[in-house]
Amino acid sequence: MNSVKTYDVIIVGAGIVGGALACALGGSDLKVAVIEAQPLNTDWPEQSEAIDGFDARVSALTLASKNFLNSMGVWELIAGRRVSPYREMHVWDAEGTGNIHFNAQDVNQPVLGHIVENRITSKALLQKIQQYNNIDFIAPAKLETIQSGDDSSYQLLLDDGRTLDAALLVAADGANSKVRNLAGMEMREWDYGHDAIVATVKNENSHQQTAWQRFLPEGPLAFLPLSTADHHQQYCSIVWSAIPSYAENLMALDDADFSAALGTAFENTLGEVLEVSHRFSFPLRQRHAVGYVKTGLALVGDAAH
């Protein structure tokens, strides 16, 4: 019979949110376990500067997020790789004269935030987790069932037969959280009626360390600045939200026609779109837990909203 291992906190999911929580608990008196379905890999991704050498998934990290990561010694790992500060934001309406402009100088800050590839943030967090003796990283392992005890703790059964006890169970396992579903925590869900197209593009002109967004009748289009090792500023991560029929038509275009359509939709603000990476499309759907916590269990990140 397998023995039961007991932890103060068990975090299911080692993405950005779960990894950040684990790092925040690192070095404390708490005994922590992180359960991750994917094998542990702390190697930095290759930073190719080809158009397909960037992660299609990026995040805008605010100064508050940077300070949080810096307090855990993680930001220096991220900053040593590939990050792009943005000092300004321009937002305008395609069907009117409305526009908004934000500048870091207006709030006496050097930058408004940083655009970082998700895989860079994830790897930095995983590398930091390995430095803490109070954290057990259990991977690859998948959660099979959970059961609440009389003392408000939770017992977890993993697919390899291991059994773990947690005084606090944290669901950081994404929008389709298995922990949330097993715990019977209710969700509110609705479809936005839009699909998002994401890709990396190379523009004719510099992005000027600025985040750009234009509101079109079919949905908003954002150009987020990316940086390279030699500080070229022609690359951007784009997020183009559109009604499904229009998004489907855009995805069916070849690269040249898509680049032309993208440039037109963006009013060629950064000149012509010279290159476009492989494109990804996914439906935009809202999921929001009715409650984030119950006794002995908490939802965080996409598992919560």
Side-chain angles (χ1 to χ4, degrees), residues 188-234:
R188 295 192 298 266
E189 300 187 40
W190 61 90
D191 197 320
Y192 281 121
H194 279 73
D195 289 354
I197 298 172
V198 297
T200 301
V201 299
K202 184 177 182 180
N203 304 296
E204 182 181 7
N205 301 323
S206 167
H207 54 56
Q208 305 163 47
Q209 294 188 331
T210 298
W212 309 82
Q213 187 171 41
R214 186 180 190 219
F215 279 85
L216 299 154
E218 301 84 9
L221 168 61
F223 275 59
L224 307 175
L226 297 173
S227 184
T228 64
D230 54 5
H231 305 296
H232 281 173
Q233 296 184 9
Q234 290 174 276

Side-chain angles (χ1 to χ4, degrees), residues 104-123:
Q105 293 180 346
D106 295 338
V107 289
N108 297 315
Q109 295 292 341
V111 299
L112 292 173
H114 295 81
I115 304 297
V116 186
E117 296 166 71
N118 283 10
R119 63 184 181 181
I120 299 295
T121 306
S122 293
K123 293 298 183 184

Side-chain angles (χ1 to χ4, degrees), residues 17-18 23-24 32 44 66 81 85-86 89 95 98 138 141 152 190-191 197 206 217 221 223 235 241 248 256 270 285:
V17 174
C23 285
V32 180
W44 290 109
K66 175 191 171 182
R81 310 305 293 182
Y86 58 98
M89 292 179 63
E95 293 197 311
I138 303 171
S152 301
W190 61 90
D191 197 320
I197 298 172
S206 167
L221 168 61
F223 275 59
Y235 291 96
S241 300
E248 185 177 347
L270 302 179
R285 185 169 180 78

Side-chain angles (χ1 to χ4, degrees), residues 14-167:
I16 291 177
V17 174
L21 175 58
C23 285
L25 298 175
S28 69
D29 294 332
L30 299 173
K31 189 169 179 59
V32 180
V34 179
I35 300 170
E36 171 56 39
Q38 302 301 318
L40 174 62
N41 179 4
T42 59
D43 295 338
W44 290 109
E46 181 182 353
Q47 293 194 129
S48 166
E49 294 182 7
I51 193 65
D52 282 302
F54 295 84
D55 190 351
R57 300 169 302 166
V58 303
S59 295
L61 300 182
T62 65
L63 293 179
S65 295
K66 175 191 171 182
N67 292 338
F68 174 56
L69 292 166
N70 195 45
S71 71
M72 301 184 294
V74 175
W75 180 254
E76 61 190 40
L77 299 176
I78 296 173
R81 310 305 293 182
R82 197 160 61 183
V83 303
S84 178
Y86 58 98
R87 306 178 194 282
E88 298 181 56
M89 292 179 63
H90 281 283
V91 183
W92 72 103
D93 184 7
E95 293 197 311
T97 59
N99 68 87
I100 303 174
H101 175 223
F102 301 95
N103 192 310
Q105 293 180 346
D106 295 338
V107 289
N108 297 315
Q109 295 292 341
V111 299
L112 292 173
H114 295 81
I115 304 297
V116 186
E117 296 166 71
N118 283 10
R119 63 184 181 181
I120 299 295
T121 306
S122 293
K123 293 298 183 184
L125 291 165
L126 288 176
Q127 288 194 5
K128 193 65 179 180
I129 287 171
Q130 303 310 301
Q131 300 177 16
Y132 294 116
N133 294 326
N134 69 313
I135 301 177
D136 288 344
F137 197 94
I138 303 171
K142 294 182 180 179
L143 178 66
E144 290 290 334
T145 62
I146 63 173
Q147 185 173 355
S148 57
D150 295 336
D151 58 353
S152 301
S153 67
Y154 276 86
Q155 187 169 94
L156 289 71
L157 176 63
L158 305 185
D159 61 347
D160 60 6
R162 276 183 283 186
T163 303
L164 311 175
D165 264 355

